[in-house]
Amino acid sequence: MSDANGPVESGSSAEETPSASASQGAGAGRHVRVVLVDDHRMFRTGVQAEIGQTERTGVEVVGEAADVDQAVTVITATRPEVVLLDVHLPGGGGVEVLRRCAPLMADAEQPVRFLALSVSDAAEDVIGVIRGGARGYVTKTITGTDLVDSIFRVQDGDAVFSPRLAGFVLDAFASTDAPPVDEDLDRLTQREREVLRLIARGYAYKEIAKQLFISVKTVESHVSAVLRKLQLSNRHELTRWATARRLV
């Protein structure tokens, strides 16, 4: 599956990698109700077209939302088994959705489970939503077949992660010490962090604009804001700053 952020890395369980035959038959004789939460309408449409053919996949998309308030309203009203949750959302991000839906996740009879689906593969994003209660985290490079398989695994209570992301979680929870607070990083908005990472990875402004569905002028504004907040002079200093914090 593909979207403007790239093809929609194959998902794998924290315990095992799904076989091709298992993935192809993920929806056979099974049914799961899903809500899509992502602020990009075109991406939601693409996911719906890819996995929402219920007779073939077993996945029924029962609602969509583009921001935190919409997400909480739709999830509360529909009570899906699984929510596909983007990490960066208007209104407080995926972590805020998880916080406000905590009672639904704790429901012993009909728990709502969350699977993060994001373009970001940053350690702090992965750890943040897992600490918030999500059962897994896959990136938007996942194939449609593997996404369906991941949804059913999460419905069953498994933990599912794209390759290498599980290591972030294991490292974080292996330590009893809370991660240090980075006051400089906390000054940045979620969008500014996204732009920061892409700049540090060597993306041109036009490439960033295309990937984030924003204009080049908006990218320039975000870069200026990041440089000002971090008291840096240019993108080379910004790259060094991000690399030192392992954000790249």
Side-chain angles (χ1 to χ4, degrees), residues 151-166:
I151 289 169
F152 279 110
R153 288 179 178 273
V154 167
Q155 181 191 29
D156 290 339
D158 290 347
V160 181
F161 297 92
S162 287
R164 95 182 184 89
L165 300 189

Side-chain angles (χ1 to χ4, degrees), residues 1 31-32 34 36 44-62 64 84 144 147-148 151:
M1 178 164 61
H31 181 265
V32 59
V34 172
L36 306 178
R44 297 198 310 272
T45 300
V47 174
Q48 166 80 282
E50 184 73 24
I51 72 172
Q53 301 175 36
T54 309
E55 292 185 0
R56 177 177 63 85
T57 65
V59 176
E60 179 187 2
V61 178
V62 296
E64 299 182 14
L84 289 180
L147 181 57
V148 170
I151 289 169

Side-chain angles (χ1 to χ4, degrees), residues 23-112:
S23 297
Q24 290 169 357
R30 303 187 62 185
H31 181 265
V32 59
R33 299 168 68 253
V34 172
V35 164
L36 306 178
V37 181
D38 193 289
D39 60 341
H40 295 134
R41 182 181 58 81
M42 290 182 63
F43 179 72
R44 297 198 310 272
T45 300
V47 174
Q48 166 80 282
E50 184 73 24
I51 72 172
Q53 301 175 36
T54 309
E55 292 185 0
R56 177 177 63 85
T57 65
V59 176
E60 179 187 2
V61 178
V62 296
E64 299 182 14
D67 59 36
V68 170
D69 288 340
Q70 288 180 12
V72 174
T73 298
V74 172
I75 293 166
T76 302
T78 59
R79 297 296 294 266
E81 283 87 26
V82 178
V83 177
L84 289 180
L85 180 68
D86 193 11
V87 175
H88 300 147
L89 294 168
V95 172
E96 179 64 12
V97 175
L98 291 165
R99 184 187 70 79
R100 291 168 59 179
C101 290
L104 300 180
M105 289 189 282
D107 189 323
E109 295 185 1
Q110 190 181 352
V112 176

Side-chain angles (χ1 to χ4, degrees), residues 113-186:
R113 295 189 168 101
F114 287 79
L115 173 62
L117 175 62
S118 176
V119 68
S120 170
D121 60 359
E124 66 267 26
D125 286 337
V126 179
I127 295 167
V129 295
I130 298 303
R131 288 192 186 278
R135 294 295 305 172
Y137 194 117
V138 294
T139 60
K140 289 181 177 179
T141 53
I142 192 170
T143 66
T145 299
D146 284 338
L147 181 57
V148 170
D149 182 81
S150 297
I151 289 169
F152 279 110
R153 288 179 178 273
V154 167
Q155 181 191 29
D156 290 339
D158 290 347
V160 181
F161 297 92
S162 287
R164 95 182 184 89
L165 300 189
F168 295 153
V169 179
L170 293 174
D171 290 344
F173 286 91
S175 173
T176 56
D177 297 327
V181 175
D182 191 325
E183 294 183 358
D184 290 333
L185 188 60
D186 286 345

